Amino acid sequence: MSAKLPARFTNEDAARKHLEALQWPDGPVCPHCGVLERSSRIAGGRPGLLFCNACRKQYSVTVGTIFERSKIPLNTWLYATHLLCSSKKGISSHQLARMLGVTYKTAWFMAHRIREAMAPKAGSEPPLGGEGQIVEADETYIGKKDGPKGRKAPQAGGFGHKRTVLSLVERGGKIRSFKLGGSTGAEIAKTVRTNVDRASTLHTDGAQAYKFVFPKGQHESVDHNKTFVREGKTDKVHTNTLEGFFSVFKRGMVGTYQHCGEQHLQRYLAEFDFRANYRVKLGFDDATRGDIALKGISGKRLTYRRSHQT
Ligand SMILES: [Zn+2]
């Protein structure tokens, strides 16, 4: 690793201090009993170990996080998080392995854990949009068009199987993407209803699935290239924000990740959503974006332990 990097990427103590400041802005909180400021540092033990005087248990800042029990140094985790947060089209596990000085397999596992930190906790975010706001909804298809030797792809399953992705974006705001399963039409309607504030105006293409999801007058589709009036201004009906997002996502999936298994698609979507939601245009720089991802490491250990072990 280069000497020019910030200390938290090269030194384990600096990395732990950085993480502690992020996770415990008001002082250490015991993860066992939730008590604040009753802990003391344990001298001579494992670095970062604290003792809770309330419940008399030991803990460190990584308890209950995706970094718990990892043999990978914390500074390597922080550097990996930074790289994934600041690479616009993502970063391949080969590239990550080279930059971190770890094996390909380790880099792959690390990247997937970090993607989980980037995903919002289920139900933690309010619906998109609201009164006077536009929410765009659109789908795209991920997967290879043709099989080996240009053979026509089979309809479902196998090498030519395409996955449907639905994305929702509040114009000028946040984006949420979903991997859909089989019955796309019903799933689209349900996902839009769950994730978009009922007072918003929905912009979509002419697909049947979006009809009747929102009340009349709150849904505009692009098919007739029409305009509509909002707050006294004439706006064009479009889903250009999502077209731009899909283009970045697809270039990343093809160029950086060379496609992925269906079981991992939602994690890659979380990664691209995350970078878009904390983009420079909304006032976030690389360092802030990295810190937001690091704040997402807690409460996700179960998710990662279900998926794999290293
Ligand atoms: Zn305690």
Side-chain angles (χ1 to χ4, degrees):
M1 280 179 215
S2 157
K4 286 175 207 147
L5 290 170
R8 64 183 189 277
F9 299 151
T10 57
N11 175 285
E12 189 153 25
D13 283 331
R16 182 175 300 100
K17 285 198 179 96
H18 185 82
L19 208 53
E20 287 182 351
L22 278 176
Q23 299 295 98
W24 298 328
D26 304 314
V29 183
C30 171
H32 306 296
C33 69
V35 165
L36 176 77
E37 293 262 286
R38 290 264 336 256
S39 300
S40 14
R41 298 268 166 194
I42 299 175
R46 190 158 50 86
L49 211 56
L50 288 108
F51 177 78
C52 175
N53 292 295
C55 72
R56 313 199 66 78
K57 283 180 186 159
Q58 294 185 352
Y59 66 96
S60 77
V61 72
T62 57
V63 167
T65 75
I66 58 165
F67 303 154
E68 188 175 4
R69 293 197 189 94
S70 171
K71 290 183 182 73
I72 299 154
L74 263 185
N75 54 294
T76 308
W77 274 114
L78 265 59
Y79 190 34
T81 305
H82 165 78
L83 290 171
L84 215 58
C85 286
S86 54
S87 317
K88 201 175 177 205
K89 283 181 274 175
I91 183 161
S92 73
S93 297
H94 283 294
Q95 173 76 0
L96 202 56
R98 274 195 298 274
M99 295 185 80
L100 300 176
V102 299
T103 65
Y104 169 79
K105 199 181 155 200
T106 299
W108 191 91
F109 283 132
M110 289 176 81
H112 271 310
R113 286 189 206 173
I114 295 164
R115 282 180 195 110
E116 296 198 8
M118 289 170 157
K121 283 177 200 171
S124 68
E125 308 229 311
L128 299 168
E131 187 137 17
Q133 307 257 35
I134 295 168
V135 175
E136 295 176 25
D138 202 5
E139 322 102 74
T140 193
Y141 304 94
I142 307 294
K144 292 173 187 174
K145 280 193 187 94
D146 299 302
K149 293 173 189 164
R151 262 190 298 141
K152 211 172 152 50
Q155 285 303 301
F159 57 79
H161 185 44
K162 290 194 138 202
R163 281 77 55 100
T164 308
V165 167
L166 170 70
S167 289
L168 307 168
V169 66
E170 184 180 302
R171 187 106 17 108
K174 287 200 167 187
I175 190 161
R176 267 179 223 178
S177 302
F178 306 87
K179 182 194 86 166
L180 299 185
S183 58
T184 317
E187 264 191 278
I188 287 176
K190 190 176 168 230
T191 310
V192 171
R193 281 198 188 100
T194 315
N195 289 280
V196 182
D197 189 302
R198 297 288 284 164
S200 322
T201 299
L202 194 65
H203 281 194
T204 70
D205 62 13
Q208 192 68 28
Y210 299 105
K211 284 179 185 156
F212 315 116
V213 173
F214 262 41
K216 234 183 168 173
Q218 273 176 249
H219 175 218
E220 305 282 347
S221 60
V222 291
D223 11 322
H224 305 300
N225 206 17
K226 63 186 168 191
T227 55
F228 78 116
V229 179
R230 182 176 66 106
E231 290 167 352
K233 290 181 293 181
T234 307
D235 273 339
K236 211 171 154 69
V237 180
H238 70 82
T239 55
N240 297 350
T241 317
L242 289 182
E243 276 164 38
F245 174 77
F246 289 152
S247 146
V248 172
F249 180 67
K250 286 184 173 188
R251 269 183 285 146
M253 290 314 286
V254 174
T256 309
Y257 295 124
Q258 273 121 41
H259 304 286
C260 69
E262 176 151 18
Q263 72 274 31
H264 302 305
L265 181 58
Q266 188 64 52
R267 291 205 196 105
Y268 287 100
L269 287 169
E271 176 193 330
F272 283 81
D273 278 0
F274 180 86
R275 279 193 300 262
N277 286 338
Y278 300 103
R279 62 189 179 272
V280 173
K281 220 173 152 184
L282 296 180
F284 300 94
D285 60 12
D286 286 348
T288 323
R289 199 179 305 119
D291 284 349
I292 292 167
L294 288 174
K295 281 186 192 166
I297 62 167
S298 54
K300 294 203 168 120
R301 203 191 61 185
L302 286 176
T303 322
Y304 104 73
R305 293 188 88 190
R306 249 186 280 123
S307 54
H308 44 70
Q309 296 272 9
T310 30

